Amino acid sequence: MELRHYWDVFRRWVWLIVLTTVLAAGAAYIFNKLSTPIYRATTTLLISQSSGGASLATDYTSLLTSQQLAKTYVELIQKQPTIDAVIKNLNLQIQPVRFRAALSVAPVRDTTLIAINYEDANPAQAQAIANEVAKVFVQQIKDTQHSRYGTSEDNLSQQMQQLQTDQASAQKALDQARAASPANPAEVARLESNVLQYQTSYASLLKSFEDLRAAEARQSDTLYVAEPAALPIAPVRPQTLTNTLLAAVVGALLAIGLAFLIEYLDDAVKSPDDIAALGVTNMGMVGRIALTDASEKLVVAKDPRSPIAEAFRTLRTNIQFSAIDRPLRVLMVTSAGPGEGKSTVAANLAAALAQAGKSVILLDADLRRPVVHRILRISNSVGLTTALLQDSASLDGVLRATVVENLKAITSGPLPPNPAELLGSERIGKLLDELKKQADVIVIDTPPVLVVTDALALSKRADAVLLVLDAGTTRRDAAAQALQALHQVGANVAGSVLNNLSPRGRSGYYNYQYYYYYAENSDTRTRKKKASEHETGGGRRLPFMPRRNGNGNGNGAHPEPVTPEGAGLPEPPSFGPE
């Protein structure tokens, strides 16, 4: 797919993209505005790892150990003992599950720091809980590490207290022995020896106690609060602006994806590229005709300066060039399915050929849903079926003139019960031979190919077949089946016509051509309307009458009808049902 095609898809579905983007952004904005703001408080802990008696130099092993220790502490902080202690200390009315969902703990990368985060709708409570979690966990770590040396320290402390008591008793006895008269030197010497022994034992125990305390300090990790939680001011969520922009982007991407998915799944014929993929020549493109009344669809005669009329003249030229080697006398117009505008194309093409100076007969061979008589505004009391049922090949009363010079028509006539048999009979061949004597070109309007077999039966008698495809409606497989059916009976498919093409469709050239002529024609019609109203006083409608051009022969010229006064330029066109 070319870049231009991507742009065409985007342009066609821009309304869906814009709508989805606005809805997604609006929904996100409303949801965020209605959401309760949540505040986050953060406390930072610092881990001072024990040396364990080894060198204090930092190496790769010690770094890994520190990171593993930080991860261990992160998991321990979120365990039930810490959570229960915090809830109890602060007397919180929060379930542990909800508490754990609001608590998040993570190590700070490449450091020995741990960040404790707590989120709450109340900023003061978030601050208090974050600080309390850190306080409780620090105390838990201290208690755990102290339990390893607690028993030994308690035993040494008790022994030291007993020695202090015994030393005090011995010192008191020594003081009394020294104060006695006469003093007993042997007793004094003994008591002095006891006091010295108690002092030596106490000094030894005190050294052991201090060594034990030092060992505990070396083997224990120090954990303390590096930065307490501050009172949060701004909420961390919802982030209304960010979420709204993100929702808008996601909505736009989803809409674009949906648009391309629809385009991918849509197998309707929409552009000349789709026709080329079917292996058939695109003979022309015709825009929409907004008029729903069949009698207003002969735009080649009614509004010859319109872009639709110009499209039919282009179709006429392409058909003439396609028949240079072999004269094209009988041209059959059909479609794949009903409602694709084949009758309108046949009538306007016949009128365009007649305006080029050709003697043309428009034959309505659609004996099931005839429309040509309504387009040309003539009676359908007699017609093709009448001529086929006559014993002679006389066309008296059947071949009638139309409002377009050089164009005659044979309507369908009364509808028969067996259209396929009539169109496949030898009489239709004799009738066509007679018509060839009276006209240069015979344009035949036939039923759709895939609905009934009437067109297939008649296609063998036509010099060329023109297949009408409705842009945006005719499916590719239906068009392919119609072409295959025509080729199987030996029909000469000259090409196809892309009908009912939107001015905003894929064909960039057609869009440019449409708006160029439409704008020019609009200005011209406005000036004519004002001049006509000035001359006639306005309000009076004139009958629709064809008028010859200035040279009087009609060759290569476009007759200009007398436009009813007060009638403005029709809206951009649309083929209605045939």
Side-chain angles (χ1 to χ4, degrees):
M1 183 179 289
E2 299 178 358
L3 183 61
R4 176 175 57 85
H5 291 167
Y6 286 110
W7 169 249
D8 290 339
V9 172
F10 178 81
R11 186 181 58 182
R12 281 195 302 274
W13 292 97
V14 65
W15 64 270
L16 176 63
I17 298 173
V18 173
L19 178 62
T20 306
T21 302
V22 172
L23 290 178
Y29 179 80
I30 294 174
F31 177 79
N32 282 270
K33 281 297 183 181
L34 296 179
S35 300
T36 303
I38 301 299
Y39 297 86
R40 177 186 297 166
T42 303
T43 300
T44 305
L45 295 180
L46 174 62
I47 304 173
S48 179
Q49 187 181 0
S50 64
S51 61
S55 174
L56 296 178
T58 303
D59 55 10
Y60 182 71
T61 304
S62 62
L63 179 61
L64 289 179
T65 305
S66 299
Q67 293 178 352
Q68 293 175 356
L69 181 62
K71 293 180 181 179
T72 303
Y73 284 167
V74 166
E75 294 297 326
L76 290 176
I77 292 174
Q78 302 177 81
K79 295 302 181 181
Q80 197 68 31
T82 306
I83 295 175
D84 292 340
V86 173
I87 293 176
K88 179 180 179 181
N89 294 345
L90 297 180
N91 194 23
L92 300 176
Q93 302 299 322
I94 302 177
Q95 295 295 327
V97 176
R98 181 183 170 190
F99 187 99
R100 186 178 289 107
L103 178 66
S104 62
V105 185
V108 180
R109 185 176 180 181
D110 298 332
T111 67
T112 57
L113 298 176
I114 297 177
I116 302 175
N117 304 307
Y118 190 83
E119 297 179 353
D120 197 276
N122 187 342
Q125 181 166 297
Q127 178 191 22
I129 293 177
N131 288 329
E132 186 65 21
V133 169
K135 178 181 176 182
V136 168
F137 185 71
V138 169
Q139 187 60 43
Q140 287 179 346
I141 293 299
K142 288 182 178 180
D143 294 343
T144 301
Q145 293 179 347
H146 180 70
S147 63
R148 298 167 55 189
Y149 299 91
T151 304
S152 299
E153 290 180 356
D154 291 343
N155 291 334
L156 287 175
S157 179
Q158 291 176 6
Q159 291 178 19
M160 290 169 62
Q161 290 178 1
Q162 184 63 40
L163 283 175
Q164 286 179 339
T165 302
D166 292 344
Q167 180 183 351
S169 299
Q171 185 67 38
K172 183 179 180 180
L174 177 60
D175 293 340
Q176 290 176 355
R178 287 176 177 175
S181 179
N184 186 352
E187 183 64 20
V188 171
R190 185 183 66 80
L191 291 175
E192 287 178 351
S193 176
N194 290 342
V195 171
L196 181 59
Q197 184 179 359
Y198 286 139
Q199 290 176 348
T200 303
S201 298
Y202 181 82
S204 177
L205 289 176
L206 180 61
K207 184 178 183 302
S208 298
F209 184 80
E210 293 299 332
D211 290 343
L212 185 61
R213 294 283 298 271
E216 179 183 0
R218 288 194 303 269
Q219 299 296 332
S220 300
D221 299 323
T222 304
L223 186 66
Y224 60 90
V225 177
E227 182 182 18
L231 182 66
I233 300 176
V236 292
R237 66 173 187 273
Q239 299 179 357
T240 304
L241 179 60
T242 302
N243 294 340
T244 301
L245 293 177
L246 181 61
V249 172
V250 172
L253 292 178
L254 289 177
I256 292 174
L258 179 62
F260 279 99
L261 178 62
I262 294 175
E263 288 291 327
Y264 177 78
L265 297 178
D266 185 9
D267 62 344
V269 178
K270 301 186 185 70
S271 68
D273 295 337
D274 297 333
I275 295 179
L278 296 173
V280 63
T281 303
N282 179 32
M283 303 298 290
M285 297 180 293
V286 180
R288 293 178 181 174
I289 299 179
L291 304 174
T292 56
D293 187 1
S295 62
E296 299 292 330
K297 290 185 178 181
L298 195 62
V299 293
V300 171
K302 179 181 182 297
D303 194 1
R305 293 178 60 85
S306 69
I308 306 299
E310 187 65 29
F312 282 112
R313 285 191 285 270
T314 302
L315 175 62
R316 173 195 67 192
T317 303
N318 293 338
I319 291 176
Q320 290 174 340
F321 275 105
S322 67
I324 292 179
D325 296 333
R326 185 179 65 177
L328 193 154
R329 301 295 307 280
V330 180
L331 176 63
M332 189 184 86
V333 181
T334 186
S335 62
E340 297 181 2
K342 60 175 184 59
S343 299
T344 305
V345 171
N348 281 277
L349 177 59
L353 290 169
Q355 288 178 353
K358 300 285 186 179
S359 176
V360 183
I361 295 178
L362 176 59
L363 176 62
D364 190 356
D366 190 346
L367 304 182
R368 300 175 187 271
R369 294 178 57 188
V371 181
V372 170
H373 64 283
R374 294 204 299 269
I375 296 177
L376 299 178
R377 291 184 287 186
I378 57 180
S379 172
N380 194 31
S381 57
V382 295
L384 176 61
T385 54
T386 306
L388 292 177
L389 293 177
Q390 292 177 356
D391 294 335
S392 63
S394 174
L395 299 175
D396 295 340
V398 176
L399 185 61
R400 283 172 287 182
T402 66
V403 295
V404 180
E405 187 177 0
N406 296 330
L407 175 62
K408 296 181 180 180
I410 299 178
T411 61
S412 65
L415 302 184
N418 55 343
E421 288 76 4
L422 286 179
L423 296 178
S425 64
E426 292 297 328
R427 289 193 176 187
I428 191 69
K430 295 179 180 179
L431 178 62
L432 291 176
D433 292 338
E434 182 64 24
L435 293 178
K436 291 179 183 179
K437 299 177 183 178
Q438 302 190 27
D440 298 328
V441 181
I442 302 170
V443 179
I444 307 176
D445 177 29
T446 62
V449 174
L450 299 182
V451 178
V452 291
T453 60
D454 302 10
L456 297 177
L458 195 57
S459 62
K460 296 180 292 185
R461 304 184 184 277
D463 296 327
V465 176
L466 194 63
L467 183 64
V468 177
L469 303 176
D470 189 357
T473 302
T474 305
R475 300 297 175 184
R476 297 175 191 173
D477 55 349
Q481 291 177 13
L483 290 171
Q484 182 181 7
L486 289 171
H487 289 313
Q488 285 179 348
V489 297
N492 176 29
V493 181
S496 65
V497 178
L498 190 59
N499 188 29
N500 202 20
L501 189 67
S502 170
R504 301 182 182 273
R506 291 185 179 179
S507 177
Y509 174 76
Y510 178 78
N511 296 340
Y512 170 79
Q513 175 186 2
Y514 179 87
Y515 287 112
Y516 177 80
Y517 283 105
Y518 188 85
E520 180 184 11
N521 195 25
S522 178
D523 295 339
T524 304
R525 276 182 162 262
T526 301
R527 291 193 296 268
K528 286 184 177 182
K529 176 182 176 182
K530 291 182 178 179
S532 176
E533 290 179 350
H534 178 72
E535 293 175 0
T536 63
R540 182 170 58 88
R541 297 181 59 86
L542 298 179
F544 176 77
M545 296 289 293
R547 183 179 63 187
R548 296 180 62 87
N549 60 338
N551 59 17
N553 55 22
N555 293 334
H558 311 306
E560 295 185 9
V562 179
T563 307
E565 292 184 7
L569 186 68
E571 295 293 327
S574 155
F575 275 124
E578 299 174 333

